[in-house]
Amino acid sequence: MTETGSNRTTTVVRTKQHLRERRAAMDGTVAVVMTMGSLHEGHLMLIERARELADHVILTDFVNPLQFGPGEDFDAYPRDLEGDLAMVDGMVDLVFAPATEEMYPTLPPMVSVTAGEIATLYEGASRPGHFNGVATVVTKLLNLTTPDIAVFGRKDAQQLAIVQSLVNDLDLPVRIEPVDIQREPEGLARSSRNLFLSEEGRGHALGLSATIAAAREAAPSLSGVLRVLEQATSGTAPYSPRTAGLRFDYALALDPATLRLVAPDHRGPTLVMLAGWVDGTRLLDAAVVQTTEP
Ligand code: PAF
């Protein structure tokens, strides 16, 4: 297994058939990193983890139309395949970058995956259909790449929980490996959508990571964490005067096992999950804190 360094020959394939041929020729274990392109440092960490865990790494680079609702940023979503390839050259064995018609000969497909009630809550309530689109493309990409391991970031906490449930409930033969959020030096969680932010917007967006930091400080007191989240959504947080340009959609404390809101007597790991809008861009952040006191 390769440890570090840019020492692989990276092949790019655009069709399912070429992907299957290349995959069949791989000996040993395979990890997949699924992305919508516009790669950044956060994706490189997912790739690093995949390299640590498997003999071969497949990167998928596909902006999945099924997970965008009408009026969402599908057309504007940043696309830069050349830049992506330059960034991962020598780091992964294979890049699968299909055209939309290759992935979906009919759109919408006649059969798709429905992720159940968990997909209708929180992010799913604000983006109806989003997680069914994610579950469908993840299932297709798992079937196409047949990996031993699939690596996902913890920033999209609800997506990670849904992918894990997809794998458990449908008995898919793959291990899901979560990787911690990567942050920019000032704290902003790395995301392809950060490219949409103005300089001023980046300042406003820091209200998300400031909320995460305040929740961490308030732990292990659950009521302390809940107060931080309430102050964030009501715009009364004392720690970030620049949150004026950040409109929270939600700031929740969830049981990471069930993704349900924590009860007042909850003790143990607590998933703090945030979503907000800055400059018309939707941003997410998340962290797990330990709450062992009321
Ligand atoms: O997290 C993402 O970038 C996407 O939702 C994924 C998992 C690649 C599916 O399109």
Side-chain angles (χ1 to χ4, degrees):
M1 194 182 309
T2 311
E3 292 303 327
T4 50
S6 297
N7 44 16
R8 296 168 194 231
T9 306
T10 302
T11 305
V12 185
V13 290
R14 309 296 302 252
T15 66
K16 296 174 188 174
Q17 186 181 330
H18 286 144
L19 169 65
R20 287 202 168 102
E21 284 167 9
R22 292 282 174 171
R23 170 65 184 92
M26 286 177 183
D27 281 332
T29 52
V30 172
V32 65
V33 178
M34 297 181 191
T35 78
M36 297 207 297
S38 188
L39 301 181
H40 50 71
E41 200 63 34
H43 294 115
L44 298 187
M45 292 300 136
L46 301 183
I47 293 172
E48 269 312 316
R49 186 69 186 129
R51 286 166 58 102
E52 282 164 14
L53 293 173
D55 299 307
H56 300 282
V57 177
I58 303 177
L59 179 94
T60 71
D61 188 317
F62 176 65
V63 184
N64 172 37
L66 271 198
Q67 68 190 74
F68 291 80
E72 288 190 353
D73 56 355
F74 174 68
D75 289 330
Y77 197 85
R79 291 163 174 86
D80 177 17
L81 182 57
E82 252 178 58
D84 293 346
L85 295 178
M87 200 179 278
V88 301
D89 189 31
M91 291 187 72
V92 303
D93 300 83
L94 197 56
V95 177
F96 177 50
T100 304
E101 315 76 63
E102 177 68 11
M103 276 302 274
Y104 297 112
T106 56
L107 194 62
M110 285 179 57
V111 175
S112 58
V113 178
T114 305
E117 199 205 342
I118 190 178
T120 65
L121 305 172
Y122 322 130
E123 198 59 14
S126 295
R127 305 187 64 191
H130 169 67
F131 286 122
N132 293 340
V134 170
T136 300
V137 81
V138 167
T139 306
K140 283 166 72 73
L141 291 170
L142 289 174
N143 286 336
L144 288 164
T145 57
T146 62
D148 301 280
I149 295 166
V151 178
F152 284 86
R154 289 192 203 269
K155 177 176 68 66
D156 301 310
Q158 193 175 356
Q159 167 173 287
L160 175 62
I162 287 172
V163 168
Q164 188 60 73
S165 303
L166 173 80
V167 165
N168 294 346
D169 292 349
L170 301 186
D171 301 311
L172 303 181
V174 62
R175 181 179 120 209
I176 302 301
E177 175 74 15
V179 171
D180 285 344
I181 294 180
Q182 301 302 313
R183 296 186 179 277
E184 298 186 5
E186 336 78 74
L188 186 61
R190 291 194 190 271
S191 163
S192 303
R193 287 194 170 95
N194 292 353
L195 283 176
F196 293 141
L197 298 174
S198 63
E199 211 33 55
E200 195 186 7
R202 295 177 76 80
H204 296 315
L206 290 178
L208 289 164
S209 49
T211 303
I212 294 287
R216 282 192 198 284
E217 252 176 59
S221 158
L222 176 60
S223 55
V225 171
L226 293 175
R227 193 163 42 249
V228 164
L229 300 183
E230 201 283 317
Q231 286 174 337
T233 47
S234 62
T236 56
Y239 47 84
S240 178
R242 301 181 71 191
T243 50
L246 164 65
R247 184 166 56 79
F248 273 92
D249 185 4
Y250 54 74
L252 304 168
L254 305 176
D255 181 333
T258 60
L259 239 57
R260 297 287 162 185
L261 293 174
V262 291
D265 61 351
H266 174 83
R267 301 289 175 267
T270 302
L271 171 63
V272 174
M273 199 167 86
L274 313 178
W277 293 93
V278 175
D279 292 347
T281 295
R282 190 175 181 81
L283 299 170
L284 307 181
D285 208 330
V288 175
V289 299
Q290 293 293 330
T291 52
T292 53
E293 294 169 14

